[in-house]
Amino acid sequence: MTSLVRRIGMGLLVCALGSANGVAQGWQHIGKVERVETFKEGLQNGVELTAGQTKVRVTQFYNGVIRIRVAPTGHFPKDFSWALAETPLNYISGPVQIHDEKNEVKMIAGPVHVSIAKSPLLITFSDASGNVLLADEPSLPMAWDGPRVHVWKKMPPDENYYGLGDKAGPMNRRNRAFTNWNTDEFGWQESSDPLYKTIPFFIGLRKGIAYGVFFDNTYRSSFDFGKEARDYFSFGAEGGELNYYFIAGPEPKKIVEQYTAMTGRSPLPPLWSLGYQQCRYSYYPESRVREIVKTLRDKKIPADVIYLDIDYQQGYAPFTINREYFPTFEKMISDFRAQGFHTILITDLHIKKDTNHGYVPYDSGTKNDAFVKNPDGSIYVGKVWPGDSVFPDFTLTRVRNWWGGLYKDFVAMGAAGFWNDMNEPSVFFRADKTMPLGTVHRLDDGTTIDHRAAHNIFGMENARATYEGLLKLQAGERPFVLTRAAYSGAQRYAATWTGDNSSTWNHLKMSTPMLMSMGISGMPLVGDDIGGFAGSPTPDLLTRWFEVGALNPIYRDHTAKGTADQEPWVHGPEHEAVRRKYIELRYRLLPYLYTVTEEAARTGIPMMRPLFLEYPQAQEFYGDDRDFLLGRDLFVAPVTTEMVDAEDISLPPGDWYDFWTGVRHAHEEKIQLRPRLDEMPLYVRAGAILPMQPVVQNTGETPDGPLQLHVYPGDDCRGSLYQDDGHTLAYQKGEILHINYSCSASSSSISIISSIESNAFKPWWNNSALTIYGATAAPKEVRIGDRAIQDWHFDAQAHTVTLTVPNAAKDWNVRVQY
């Protein structure tokens, strides 16, 4: 820093920074606090500080979350957020204590202690013990430059940063800088930025202690985690408010819970959406789609979903059908339903500009004044797949309602879900790939914003319009919407994927950290294009992708036009058999997968988890981008290379059983594997009780046999099962089955207990087949309740004891005596 000129009268600091630290000149930094007042608005309460004409509000949003708002001119705009849920969940607000001292203001709000230095105004967040969690960089107070806003924070040398959602490269964001501006980025690579989504939320993690920051600003924003300077990180935006939330944690899981309580959680998806999904750009004509569906069934490859990309439409116009390609479209969808397939249709947000030809979306949209406009009031026209296209003004409630109604005919035909693509929004033949920044978006209160403010929320509001429309049209069925673009809060409306990836080993390797980042950033229903979208994978690469994809939240095989076929049976019977094995594994695991999906919907904790989320004290996993947890109990170490050398597997804390062999391993063991093509390292937590089922060909088929409970004795031995009808909203009325399982073991016995939490839903099974691992000898006695049974089996080679509990959807206990 070459100089600092203080302007006390204005309450500002004009900072002229040298080029050494890379900060641009012209920032006006907040200066000395001149007035302190307690502040209360609605449920928020805290303190308002005045520095010259600038005002800063530091308030408790709810217990453990502190909000910071800055008004450089002293006038706060209308308090409005696209990201926050209408009613934030779990809102608990405790008393706030304010102590105005000579040199600082102290604010105590539950577990968070906020210290605000007065000259200049600097904010420090600490825990109740005085440990600093996050602090302003002293030489760089909060600042603005015209419409731009920015804040700088101290960066401890051992702190790690995670989140921001849709970003390529390592999951730890330290030493890199990022831009948030939703972008159609075909064929993105490791260094590509920005991508399709804007999620301005991150977690700081240091020595097991974490905090979160959510910067609620829809403009183009930036985050720099040490690329500019080694001692501080920063974030800001090109316009809008300096408005951010500090989330105390201190556990990473607690931060994700708090963040999703603010921005909303994914509704429970239909069970069928967790099945295998088959897609490509494009399956047409109708005979080809029918062939794909028939082949999946003939080869007994389980599947639940078939997608139709833009070629089913007439001239690529959304909400139309190309009758030359699809002469019996309605019957095709009905036939697929009868075969257990759900059809998902793409419906891009651009509407073909087609005057006087009876194209209802354009005619009705024009009549209803539904389209985005230029500054001169004319309708904005951009070229996309149909040619000249217009764009619904999704920032208006009435336009979202109109858009939702467009799905009426498709819903009546039996289409099960919808895919909102190209909604960054993407516009062809423009260097910036989107609509001009000056286009005008209207708001419900009669005001307008330009595209600078609307761009990053455009795709989310498109997905919202689709989701809310389907809620009205589908008569109690759960909507399924897949969106490419998103802003914080989009998880309330849609699942997502990582966009147009490539068929390379590097992209397979990058998929896991991207999916985990999306999950901890509030979007648990995520997947990637299995096999890669751009290009054609080698046989081994596609097989390895099918393996890891089976344990991702969304499991969709998808590829681009002009690439080789990418269905499970390509490349011959050996590869087909391996791919079928892992698709079947997913269907066997559906009771567990659905249970952790419900946990995500209820708590915000994602299904697919980085290791630090469950084991924040295990610092050796802070940089692990390959491995992940599916729920709490499955540890996945996917093969993401061509395997020239052996793979080293480092297990999480505790003991873990090999899923395939049942062998128990200690955390300290060094495991080195060279997996065969049909092997993916998979382990189960010692202490897990894993619900599984027999293989089915689709989720609508009733499994042939009992519920399977796999018991892996160990510390904190427990598991659970959640089931409902899988497709309606009846679960919201309590029509569910929820069972908690636990076990306790000694050297001479093991006891397993089933405890019903809710039994308002009758499951497909009556009995439970137990498999107890780790048995070193045949039992002397096995009891169900007070009754000794003889119908059990000991496998000396597998070290298992198996038995069946009849009428198991109730409380019961089993005791095995050795």
Side-chain angles (χ1 to χ4, degrees):
M1 185 176 298
T2 57
S3 67
L4 278 176
V5 181
R6 190 182 300 269
R7 293 171 57 187
I8 299 296
M10 293 292 292
L12 306 174
L13 294 173
V14 179
C15 186
L17 299 171
S19 60
N21 61 14
V23 179
Q25 294 185 1
W27 289 109
Q28 294 181 301
H29 292 260
I30 196 163
K32 182 179 179 180
V33 174
E34 298 167 350
R35 187 166 66 253
V36 177
E37 299 173 282
T38 58
F39 172 81
K40 184 171 180 61
E41 183 176 80
L43 296 172
Q44 297 186 50
N45 60 93
V47 62
E48 181 173 282
L49 309 147
T50 302
Q53 65 179 353
T54 302
K55 293 186 182 295
V56 178
R57 289 176 180 169
V58 182
T59 56
Q60 180 189 58
F61 185 69
Y62 62 74
N63 195 34
V65 179
I66 303 297
R67 183 185 187 189
I68 309 296
R69 291 183 78 190
V70 180
T73 63
H75 300 287
F76 288 94
K78 178 183 177 182
D79 196 4
F80 175 78
S81 172
W82 296 102
L84 298 183
E86 289 186 14
T87 305
L89 301 171
N90 305 328
Y91 188 96
I92 300 173
S93 179
V96 174
Q97 302 175 40
I98 306 293
H99 303 283
D100 183 8
E101 301 177 357
K102 180 179 180 182
N103 296 319
E104 66 178 343
V105 178
K106 292 181 178 179
M107 173 175 158
I108 301 173
V112 187
H113 288 216
V114 186
S115 174
I116 308 165
K118 289 185 174 180
S119 184
L121 193 159
L122 298 166
I123 302 173
T124 299
F125 302 94
S126 305
D127 62 20
S129 300
N131 300 309
V132 174
L133 301 173
L134 180 65
D136 284 348
E137 166 58 31
S139 63
L140 293 167
M142 295 181 290
W144 51 93
D145 176 18
R148 297 192 300 158
V149 294
H150 216 82
V151 62
W152 294 261
K153 300 289 186 181
K154 289 182 180 179
M155 187 173 68
D158 55 350
E159 192 159 270
N160 307 276
Y161 304 98
Y162 306 95
L164 299 186
D166 200 13
K167 300 296 181 185
M171 191 165 45
N172 189 350
R173 310 304 187 196
R174 191 179 175 104
N175 298 322
R176 290 179 294 155
F178 302 91
T179 298
N180 285 327
W181 184 253
N182 295 354
T183 302
D184 178 358
E185 191 67 14
F186 172 81
W188 54 266
Q189 297 301 326
E190 195 163 17
S191 60
S192 300
D193 187 68
L195 296 179
Y196 306 92
K197 301 167 191 70
T198 291
I199 304 183
F201 162 77
F202 69 89
I203 295 171
L205 176 61
R206 178 176 176 237
K207 296 179 180 178
I209 303 299
Y211 65 86
V213 171
F214 171 45
F215 177 40
D216 192 3
N217 184 304
T218 66
Y219 285 76
R220 184 191 297 264
S221 59
S222 62
F223 288 76
D224 187 315
F225 295 104
K227 187 174 182 180
E228 178 183 78
R230 65 182 182 182
D231 298 326
Y232 58 80
F233 69 88
S234 68
F235 56 89
E238 293 186 354
E241 266 198 278
L242 186 47
N243 172 31
Y244 72 92
Y245 298 80
F246 170 83
I247 305 171
E251 302 86 9
K253 285 177 73 171
K254 181 66 174 176
I255 291 163
V256 176
E257 287 179 346
Q258 290 172 307
Y259 168 72
T260 56
M262 295 166 58
T263 59
R265 292 175 180 149
S266 293
L268 191 60
L271 177 62
W272 58 259
S273 68
L274 299 179
Y276 174 66
Q277 305 183 3
Q278 188 65 56
C279 184
R280 81 161 295 142
Y281 169 41
S282 265
Y283 285 134
Y284 73 96
E286 184 176 317
S287 59
R288 175 61 172 160
V289 191
R290 290 182 177 272
E291 177 190 6
I292 293 295
V293 167
K294 183 177 186 299
T295 305
L296 285 163
R297 289 291 179 254
D298 288 349
K299 289 181 171 290
K300 294 193 179 304
I301 298 172
D304 269 84
V305 176
I306 186 75
Y307 280 79
L308 295 182
D309 210 319
I310 60 175
D311 288 287
Y312 81 88
Q313 300 167 138
Q314 184 65 47
Y316 302 139
F319 301 101
T320 63
I321 299 168
N322 185 323
R323 292 294 179 177
E324 180 182 351
Y325 288 166
F326 291 88
T328 63
F329 188 81
E330 295 87 345
K331 185 176 187 303
M332 178 192 71
I333 291 178
S334 177
D335 290 345
F336 290 167
R337 281 270 187 177
Q339 297 172 72
F341 271 91
H342 296 79
T343 305
I344 293 180
L345 305 177
I346 197 168
T347 50
D348 291 342
L349 53 67
H350 42 258
I351 297 296
K352 182 178 183 180
K353 184 183 179 185
D354 192 5
T355 307
N356 299 324
H357 288 92
Y359 178 41
V360 172
Y362 179 75
D363 292 344
S364 64
T366 302
K367 180 181 178 181
N368 290 303
D369 189 22
F371 301 127
V372 173
K373 297 184 178 181
N374 293 305
D376 65 3
S378 61
I379 294 175
Y380 170 71
V381 179
K383 290 188 181 295
V384 205
W385 292 118
D388 283 351
S389 303
V390 293
F391 299 80
D393 206 352
F394 291 111
T395 49
L396 286 169
T397 298
R398 64 175 180 82
V399 173
R400 293 194 299 272
N401 291 338
W402 163 80
W403 172 270
L406 295 177
Y407 288 94
K408 181 179 179 180
D409 290 346
F410 282 157
V411 168
M413 293 175 194
F418 297 93
W419 171 16
N420 293 153
D421 201 359
M422 304 292 288
N423 57 354
E424 289 72 34
S426 178
V427 179
F428 295 165
F429 311 121
R430 288 183 53 85
D432 59 4
K433 304 180 184 179
T434 194
M435 61 179 64
L437 298 181
T439 50
V440 178
H441 302 260
R442 293 160 289 172
L443 304 178
D444 290 341
D445 64 3
T447 61
T448 62
I449 55 177
D450 65 20
H451 197 65
R452 294 171 181 83
H455 177 87
N456 283 333
I457 53 97
F458 202 73
M460 176 173 76
E461 294 305 295
N462 168 219
R464 176 185 180 182
T466 304
Y467 178 82
E468 292 176 346
L470 296 178
L471 276 178
K472 297 173 184 177
L473 293 170
Q474 289 188 160
E477 292 290 311
R478 301 176 205 173
F480 180 78
V481 180
L482 186 71
T483 183
R484 189 168 73 177
Y487 182 70
S488 292
Q491 66 268 12
R492 304 193 295 266
Y493 316 116
T496 191
W497 85 108
T498 61
D500 296 339
N501 61 354
S502 299
S503 300
T504 67
W505 286 97
N506 191 46
H507 270 260
L508 171 59
K509 183 178 180 180
M510 283 194 291
S511 68
T512 291
M514 289 188 76
L515 297 180
M516 288 192 292
S517 293
M518 289 298 298
I520 63 172
S521 300
M523 298 198 75
L525 294 172
V526 290
D528 63 350
D529 288 345
I530 300 298
F533 181 74
S536 302
T538 64
D540 285 5
L541 172 58
L542 182 57
T543 294
R544 289 300 190 191
W545 220 318
F546 265 99
E547 291 175 1
V548 65
L551 299 177
N552 293 163
I554 299 293
Y555 192 22
R556 183 180 78 147
D557 176 21
H558 183 46
T559 189
K561 190 172 283 191
T563 65
D565 285 350
Q566 207 160 284
E567 293 77 29
W569 53 84
V570 302
H571 305 131
E574 178 187 357
H575 285 280
E576 178 186 329
V578 178
R579 295 164 190 168
R580 181 188 293 105
K581 169 185 173 180
Y582 282 88
I583 296 173
E584 288 181 344
L585 171 65
R586 184 179 184 88
Y587 280 78
R588 290 170 59 203
L589 285 168
L590 273 176
Y592 175 73
L593 181 59
Y594 195 53
T595 298
V596 298
T597 303
E598 187 276 335
E599 180 187 1
R602 178 169 37 85
T603 70
I605 303 301
M607 300 99 88
M608 187 174 176
R609 305 171 185 176
L611 292 165
F612 71 75
L613 202 66
E614 291 287 349
Y615 303 99
Q617 301 295 336
Q619 298 182 50
E620 65 269 28
F621 293 111
Y622 284 7
D624 188 347
D625 288 323
R626 182 194 66 188
D627 308 323
F628 64 93
L629 296 165
L630 181 62
R632 183 185 182 219
D633 293 332
L634 286 179
F635 170 66
V636 189
V639 179
T640 58
T641 69
E642 295 181 79
M643 289 296 296
V644 175
D645 300 315
E647 293 271 342
D648 290 326
I649 308 294
S650 296
L651 296 172
D655 288 1
W656 294 80
Y657 290 82
D658 187 307
F659 178 85
W660 306 110
T661 67
V663 173
R664 184 167 177 165
H665 297 276
H667 164 59
E668 296 80 12
E669 283 187 51
K670 298 301 179 185
I671 301 175
Q672 193 175 69
L673 299 176
R674 185 177 278 108
R676 301 189 310 267
L677 183 62
D678 66 338
E679 294 178 322
M680 180 178 69
L682 179 61
Y683 299 87
V684 187
R685 182 182 66 85
I689 300 178
L690 206 65
M692 296 176 63
Q693 69 179 32
V695 171
V696 292
Q697 292 303 300
N698 64 86
T699 57
E701 179 183 324
T702 301
D704 183 14
L707 175 73
Q708 300 167 356
L709 290 177
H710 294 251
V711 181
Y712 299 86
D715 295 338
D716 190 22
C717 187
R718 58 188 170 93
S720 62
L721 175 71
Y722 173 88
Q723 292 187 326
D724 57 28
D725 66 25
H727 64 97
T728 76
L729 300 174
Y731 75 94
Q732 296 177 350
K733 301 175 183 176
E735 295 180 24
I736 66 171
L737 175 71
H738 194 182
I739 306 176
N740 293 314
Y741 302 105
S742 62
C743 77
S744 58
S746 68
S747 59
S748 60
S749 68
I750 180 171
S751 297
I752 301 124
I753 297 173
S754 167
S755 177
I756 298 287
E757 186 171 311
S758 177
N759 63 350
F761 171 76
K762 182 175 174 55
W764 52 265
W765 50 272
N766 291 315
N767 305 332
S768 290
L770 268 64
T771 302
I772 304 168
Y773 291 81
T776 56
K780 295 177 181 177
E781 183 182 65
V782 177
R783 303 183 72 88
I784 300 177
D786 296 330
R787 181 174 57 90
I789 64 168
Q790 304 302 318
D791 190 14
W792 53 265
H793 175 71
F794 169 66
D795 187 325
Q797 185 174 358
H799 301 291
T800 59
V801 174
T802 55
L803 65 136
T804 298
V805 178
N807 301 315
K810 62 181 182 181
D811 293 349
W812 52 258
N813 64 82
V814 166
R815 182 175 177 83
V816 179
Q817 189 76 35
Y818 295 105

